[in-house]
Amino acid sequence: MSLKSPRRRRTVGVVGSLAAAALLLSACSSSPESGEAGESTITVFNGSTGTITENFNPFSSTALQPTNGVVFESLYWYNAAQDEDPVPVLATAFEWNEEGTELTITTREGVTWSDGEDFTAEDVAFTFNLVAETPELNTTGLSAVAEATDENTVVLTFEEQSFMQEPSVLGNRGIVPEHIWKDVADPITEVNSSPVGTGPYTVESFSPQSYLLTKNENYWEEGKPAIDQVRYISLENADSASAALLAGDIDWMSSFLPGLEQLLADNEQLSYVNTPALTTSIFTCSNPELGCEGPQTDAAVRQALYYGIDREQLNNLAGGGFASPASPTMILPERDARWIGDSANSEVPSGAEVDQAEQILEDAGWTEGSDGIREKDGERLSLTIQTVSGWSDYISLNDAMTQQLAEIGVELNPVQLSWNEWNNNQTLGQFQLSLDSIGLQPSNNPYFTYNRWYASTQTVPVGESASAGNAARYSNPIVDEAVLTAGATSDEAVQAEQYAIIQGEIVRDMPYIPIYVNSMLTEFSTENAVGWPSNDDPYALAAAWKSWDNGVILKTITPAE
Amino acid sequence: MRYVLQKIVFYIVAFWAALTLNFVLPRLMPGNPVDIMLSKLAQRGPVTPETRQAIELLLGTDSQQPILDQYVQYMGQVLTGNLGISVTFFPAPVSQVISQTLPWTIGLIGISTVISFLLGVGLGQLAGWKRGSWLDNVIPVTTMFQSVPYFWLALILVFLLGSVWQIFPINGGYDVWETSPGWNAGFIGSVIYHGTLPALTIVLSSIGGWMLGMRNMMVSTLSEDYIVTAEAKGLRPRRIMTTYAARNAVLPSVAGFAISLGFVVAGSIVTEAVFSYPGIGSALLQAVGSNDYALMQGIFLVITLSVLGANLLVDLLYSLIDPRTRARA
């Protein structure tokens, strides 16, 4: 099968006549690079399907993905792929006052907007004030007043202690030019067709099927970016994306491709990087006080599930062998090693520990029933686990776990639902077990993971919507207090102490049962560009859909010789 | 005229019923747009608890509003042509999404349905006229193509003609790398080139039914007395075939054609999924995936309108080509 071919290209205007036959012929002819000598272009598939709607508004939740990071930049960049300090982008320094209510930011000098105007601290102040004053845009709960005290200094004054606002302020907010946005009538519905930003690329052309970004000639970082143009396209599904990758139509995409090793062996120009960042876990509706029902409300059952599954087998059957070990503390064992208080909690067991699981169940009073399934007070140890139909790896996980857990006398009933129903059940708490994942927060500080998934403040009784939060309905005053204490300081030693307390609690209670850190595979073609992140040097989170990291990668890669 | 008026009143009532269904059905689905948008955002990056409030304000979803008020508001909006704002494509209005996608669907599926009908009816007419010719042997082949599941046939053709031999592109509506949309030769040629393979799959998979139906109707029509009369009068065979036999034999096919025209919009989902074609079917899939009530209602409205419109058209056309339907029994 010869799938290696140069991208079918055709020059506009070569065709003189309208005759369809002539058009067809010309469409078949390939003339790579014609008419654009020396121009380097790469094509990205970032997961968008169907029709694309124009939206380059960096404040909008439905903005096109390259808006943030590629067209607009933040003050700092938080690398989710490695444990490192925030990388300065539009700012060069920041400092908190002691109380955590005042953040002083020094902005970078010598940056110009893509329309040629100078970037100043005024723009930064304007951006944050606009967000704070517009509740529809304030997705991070920012309550601060920003003031530019001089050309290069901005001071954000918060209403309360806000150390934990740091990553969303510095790393998750695209700075817009005041001279343009002060005239925007409605920043909520603005689609910002020809955006003026500081990022390495600007928008060249847009159509509902594809859009093209072109190099920002005014970019502040000397000699960057090296690639002239970046095209984003829309494809229906992973199948058509992988076909397009093999045909050389796509240079960068993120998708789990079955038989990846073989594809790479057959196609020299392809490479990949695996950046596991999300912990695939069994979410349990754990708290009977908030209305959860079923055997999983017993912590012993959750512990037994934790020990009863054979993760090595699961990785081979469902993870394609690309998954890496998780930590029962729910942070990444390698990247976040310094935050794990007790090294015993560093990694999950890799094989099934059947004896231990059975012992836990016996001690808790779950005895074997006549059909081999354990029971307690007449209640069978039978659990329903939900996942989304079409998520083939999760479905395989459920099937394999059903067999593994039968060994310890637990009956697992997998159900597949539509995405909407699965999501609805989970946010409303109307589930027993559910497969989902945990990870990727504003920064690598575990505060965000613990606050969002474990704090009582993020949960509500069953029947109410706990969207994007503590779906397990976990509520533990010790954890709540530790989260509060950790959030009230910027002293990492104090934080680590508090996290150790939290970890002790959640490793025992196990409201979310970690399986493994799922693979996050990204495939590249080195035909048009080189310098992509690799498994040896994952300098940024390479996923094609990841907003801020995309900008860093696009300005790092260089044209292939 | 009375006949026409009756028909039109009937269609207005049917339209109202369809609108009401359009309103009710999406709201029976689990979940709500805010939760879904949040969960989708959470899959792509950090979502803080404060995000929820912002999204609620942004989408203006006031779920507390009584359902009856929502219904009245919806009916009013439809009648004034305002289909609302899409949640999936916020802040794009639904009418913009539809106007971006509908031409692709009508262009591809509509034209290939018409081609398939004309080709099928034409070949069927010939096959019925010259029974026992080689055309009779083509019919089983075409019905086989029809019996093969459509998506499978399409995938096989994509694999063979797109991947192995690389005659046709495998996805998209046009060459996004080299052309830009507009009335220029490059773009139009690219659209034709990209549309050929999907159109081929549609024609291949639907032509058999038209051929078979037309051929069999021809055969039974040809044994009617008036055909014998026409032959006895010494009319030219070509005139007998077209004006005497085919005109009568095509009636059931025309009715079938109306229905299939109506399903052009609704039936496009699979084709568009296989070929990553930028039509309305994929927009509907996305709308359903995000509980985007406004967009779903808008697309359902288009489907309803096209089904009703096609039927009305054929009803009226029928009264022209078959005078018997006008007379009251």
Side-chain angles (χ1 to χ4, degrees):
Chain A
M1 198 165 66
S2 85
L3 292 173
K4 277 185 278 178
S5 85
R7 172 185 308 152
R8 293 179 205 93
R9 280 173 182 274
R10 186 157 44 79
T11 354
V12 190
V14 168
V15 186
S17 94
L18 257 170
L23 284 166
L24 272 167
L25 278 176
S26 77
C28 297
S29 72
S30 32
S31 49
E33 310 303 330
S34 64
E36 41 176 80
E39 292 257 302
S40 49
T41 305
I42 64 159
T43 306
V44 185
F45 170 58
N46 62 3
S48 66
T49 58
T51 299
I52 310 169
T53 346
E54 190 165 30
N55 187 351
F56 293 103
N57 177 350
F59 300 113
S60 174
S61 301
T62 50
L64 292 168
Q65 172 250 341
T67 307
N68 283 320
V70 183
V71 177
F72 291 93
E73 287 178 312
S74 52
L75 297 169
Y76 275 82
W77 169 59
Y78 285 73
N79 189 349
Q82 286 175 354
D83 182 27
E84 65 174 22
D85 287 337
V87 179
V89 185
L90 287 180
T92 51
F94 68 92
E95 197 182 9
W96 283 99
N97 69 348
E98 206 130 301
E99 294 78 39
T101 55
E102 243 183 55
L103 178 63
T104 308
I105 301 162
T106 311
T107 59
R108 184 178 292 277
E109 284 179 58
V111 177
T112 51
W113 295 100
S114 54
D115 63 355
E117 299 248 352
D118 283 336
F119 161 84
T120 66
E122 295 282 349
D123 295 313
V124 179
F126 173 80
T127 303
F128 287 109
N129 286 332
L130 181 64
V131 171
E133 286 160 13
T134 320
E136 286 90 341
L137 304 179
N138 196 350
T139 51
T140 53
L142 178 76
S143 56
V145 177
E147 196 193 347
T149 50
D150 66 48
E151 189 84 337
N152 293 310
T153 312
V154 184
V155 179
L156 265 75
T157 313
F158 294 84
E159 281 171 14
E160 53 189 9
Q161 189 192 61
S162 302
F163 286 120
M164 286 305 154
Q165 281 282 340
E166 186 188 297
S168 31
V169 167
L170 296 178
N172 207 11
R173 179 61 65 199
I175 304 299
V176 298
E178 183 179 13
H179 64 275
I180 294 194
W181 280 79
K182 68 176 196 276
D183 301 323
V184 168
D186 185 359
I188 301 162
T189 55
E190 171 68 29
V191 295
N192 199 18
S193 304
S194 35
V196 172
T198 58
Y201 290 89
T202 57
V203 178
E204 171 81 18
S205 64
F206 178 87
S207 84
Q209 278 75 47
S210 154
Y211 47 98
L212 181 66
L213 306 185
T214 196
K215 188 164 138 175
N216 176 5
E217 296 296 343
N218 296 331
Y219 193 59
W220 53 269
E221 207 170 341
E222 200 64 40
K224 288 184 174 181
I227 301 287
D228 295 309
Q229 290 187 318
V230 183
R231 183 176 285 285
Y232 286 80
I233 61 167
S234 145
L235 289 169
E236 211 51 51
N237 49 44
D239 290 340
S240 43
S242 61
L245 178 76
L246 291 175
D249 285 348
I250 296 181
D251 297 290
W252 181 9
M253 63 176 272
S254 289
S255 172
F256 182 84
L257 299 182
L260 180 63
E261 299 285 1
Q262 190 58 42
L263 286 180
L264 293 171
D266 292 345
N267 297 275
E268 272 179 20
Q269 81 281 16
L270 296 186
S271 64
Y272 85 102
V273 60
N274 183 14
T275 43
L278 293 161
T279 307
T280 299
S281 314
I282 305 173
F283 283 36
T284 69
C285 194
S286 64
N287 191 346
E289 280 161 27
L290 286 178
C292 292
E293 285 172 12
Q296 85 288 351
T297 51
D298 181 350
V301 170
R302 302 195 293 268
Q303 285 286 348
L305 295 184
Y306 175 75
Y307 287 110
I309 54 179
D310 179 349
R311 293 176 173 81
E312 204 176 322
Q313 191 186 31
L314 293 177
N315 186 8
N316 287 329
L317 290 176
F322 287 108
S324 65
S327 161
T329 60
M330 283 298 170
I331 52 183
L332 300 183
E334 276 176 43
R335 188 192 71 189
D336 304 329
R338 67 189 171 104
W339 294 114
I340 297 178
D342 180 354
S343 58
N345 290 333
S346 174
E347 283 189 10
V348 293
S350 72
E353 296 184 5
V354 175
D355 294 343
Q356 191 165 355
E358 290 193 314
Q359 190 61 46
I360 293 171
L361 288 174
E362 289 291 338
D363 292 350
W366 293 92
T367 50
E368 192 159 323
S370 52
D371 56 353
I373 304 301
R374 288 172 190 273
E375 53 185 31
K376 181 183 179 181
D377 307 334
E379 189 187 16
R380 288 177 82 242
L381 189 35
S382 170
L383 294 156
T384 305
I385 185 161
Q386 61 158 7
T387 189
V388 177
S389 50
W391 288 7
S392 48
D393 57 334
Y394 278 17
I395 294 167
S396 318
L397 271 183
N398 280 348
D399 291 343
M401 287 194 296
T402 305
Q403 293 184 9
Q404 293 174 356
L405 292 175
E407 303 259 321
I408 60 165
V410 176
E411 184 182 60
L412 208 59
N413 305 306
V415 289
Q416 295 169 27
L417 305 169
S418 73
W419 191 89
N420 288 358
E421 202 178 351
W422 164 82
N423 184 54
N424 192 44
N425 287 347
Q426 196 169 302
T427 51
L428 294 183
Q430 288 158 350
F431 68 103
Q432 291 188 322
L433 305 176
S434 178
L435 275 186
D436 201 353
S437 51
I438 285 183
L440 277 194
Q441 287 301 293
S443 84
N444 298 342
N445 192 313
Y447 170 83
F448 297 98
T449 299
Y450 294 146
N451 180 43
R452 181 170 155 196
W453 277 285
Y454 294 93
S456 308
T457 47
Q458 309 306 337
T459 201
V460 286
V462 168
E464 291 172 34
S465 178
S467 56
N470 185 348
R473 269 72 190 166
Y474 184 65
S475 176
N476 180 339
I478 302 174
V479 171
D480 291 344
E481 205 195 311
V483 166
L484 217 61
T485 315
T489 176
S490 56
D491 183 345
E492 294 198 343
V494 178
Q495 288 182 334
E497 253 170 55
Q498 299 300 321
Y499 297 151
I501 298 175
I502 297 173
Q503 287 161 4
E505 296 293 309
I506 65 173
V507 167
R508 186 194 64 227
D509 292 341
M510 202 65 74
Y512 307 89
I513 305 164
I515 299 176
Y516 49 53
V517 185
N518 209 355
S519 63
M520 188 186 284
L521 293 170
T522 301
E523 297 84 15
F524 310 106
S525 163
T526 51
E527 205 171 320
N528 296 312
V530 293
W532 301 104
S534 66
N535 286 324
D536 300 326
D537 179 23
Y539 57 80
L541 195 76
W545 43 261
K546 181 80 172 64
S547 277
W548 304 103
D549 301 57
N550 259 16
V552 174
I553 292 171
L554 284 177
K555 69 183 186 187
T556 309
I557 55 174
T558 52
E561 289 304 316
Chain B
M1 246 328 61
R2 193 189 163 83
Y3 171 80
V4 176
L5 274 180
Q6 268 181 348
K7 282 285 166 197
I8 289 177
V9 170
F10 168 77
Y11 276 102
I12 289 175
V13 174
F15 183 58
W16 170 79
L19 279 184
T20 308
L21 269 181
N22 280 356
F23 174 80
V24 175
L25 285 180
R27 284 172 172 73
L28 296 178
M29 291 171 54
N32 69 61
V34 175
D35 284 346
I36 289 175
M37 191 171 196
L38 272 181
S39 304
K40 292 209 160 146
L41 283 176
Q43 287 181 329
R44 311 237 128 176
V47 165
T48 49
E50 291 83 4
T51 313
R52 183 186 176 82
Q53 205 189 352
I55 303 270
E56 266 177 354
L57 287 167
L58 180 80
L59 299 180
T61 38
D62 183 4
S63 41
Q64 304 307 316
Q65 198 183 7
I67 198 99
L68 201 66
D69 288 3
Q70 291 183 34
Y71 179 69
V72 171
Q73 196 185 355
Y74 159 75
M75 282 304 215
Q77 282 183 343
V78 169
L79 295 181
T80 54
N82 172 8
L83 298 176
I85 303 281
S86 162
V87 173
T88 326
F89 300 106
F90 187 89
V94 168
S95 48
Q96 184 195 326
V97 178
I98 291 179
S99 65
Q100 273 174 0
T101 51
L102 191 59
W104 290 97
T105 300
I106 291 185
L108 173 68
I109 321 257
I111 291 176
S112 40
T113 306
V114 172
I115 292 178
S116 170
F117 174 73
L118 292 179
L119 215 61
V121 165
L123 288 175
Q125 174 191 331
L126 283 178
W129 183 249
K130 294 183 179 173
R131 266 164 288 169
S133 72
W134 60 273
L135 267 175
D136 276 2
N137 300 330
V138 176
I139 292 178
V141 178
T142 57
T143 46
M144 186 203 79
F145 277 129
Q146 188 157 22
S147 63
V148 171
Y150 171 74
F151 73 92
W152 191 78
L153 177 73
L155 284 175
I156 290 288
L157 283 178
V158 168
F159 177 69
L160 290 179
L161 298 177
S163 252
V164 178
W165 295 312
Q166 307 200 346
I167 301 170
F168 292 108
I170 46 181
N171 52 52
Y174 65 94
D175 185 352
V176 293
W177 286 275
E178 297 297 322
T179 54
S180 49
W183 291 111
N184 56 67
F187 175 67
I188 294 167
S190 181
V191 169
I192 294 173
Y193 178 46
H194 277 72
T196 308
L197 188 57
L200 190 69
T201 60
I202 296 171
V203 171
L204 265 186
S205 69
S206 61
I207 195 170
W210 301 124
M211 253 183 103
L212 190 68
M214 185 63 188
R215 174 190 174 273
N216 293 349
M217 276 311 289
M218 273 300 272
V219 170
S220 61
T221 315
L222 284 173
S223 62
E224 295 284 341
D225 290 345
Y226 57 82
I227 303 286
V228 182
T229 315
E231 280 172 347
K233 281 199 292 186
L235 292 178
R236 272 178 294 125
R238 194 183 161 74
R239 185 169 161 82
I240 297 174
M241 178 177 84
T242 52
T243 328
Y244 282 71
R247 181 170 172 184
N248 286 299
V250 83
L251 290 174
S253 297
V254 170
F257 181 59
I259 294 174
S260 67
L261 262 194
F263 283 108
V264 159
V265 177
S268 64
I269 297 176
V270 180
T271 316
E272 288 171 11
V274 172
F275 293 96
S276 294
Y277 209 75
I280 204 165
S282 47
L284 178 60
L285 266 187
Q286 277 179 289
V288 172
S290 314
N291 265 27
D292 189 344
Y293 300 143
L295 186 54
M296 273 190 273
Q297 283 164 355
I299 295 176
F300 288 154
L301 182 70
V302 171
I303 295 176
T304 315
L305 277 179
S306 58
V307 172
L308 290 178
N311 276 292
L312 177 64
L313 198 73
V314 168
D315 262 348
L316 298 178
L317 197 68
Y318 231 69
S319 68
L320 272 184
I321 55 175
D322 187 0
R324 283 172 300 179
T325 53
R326 264 173 296 183
R328 287 199 291 155

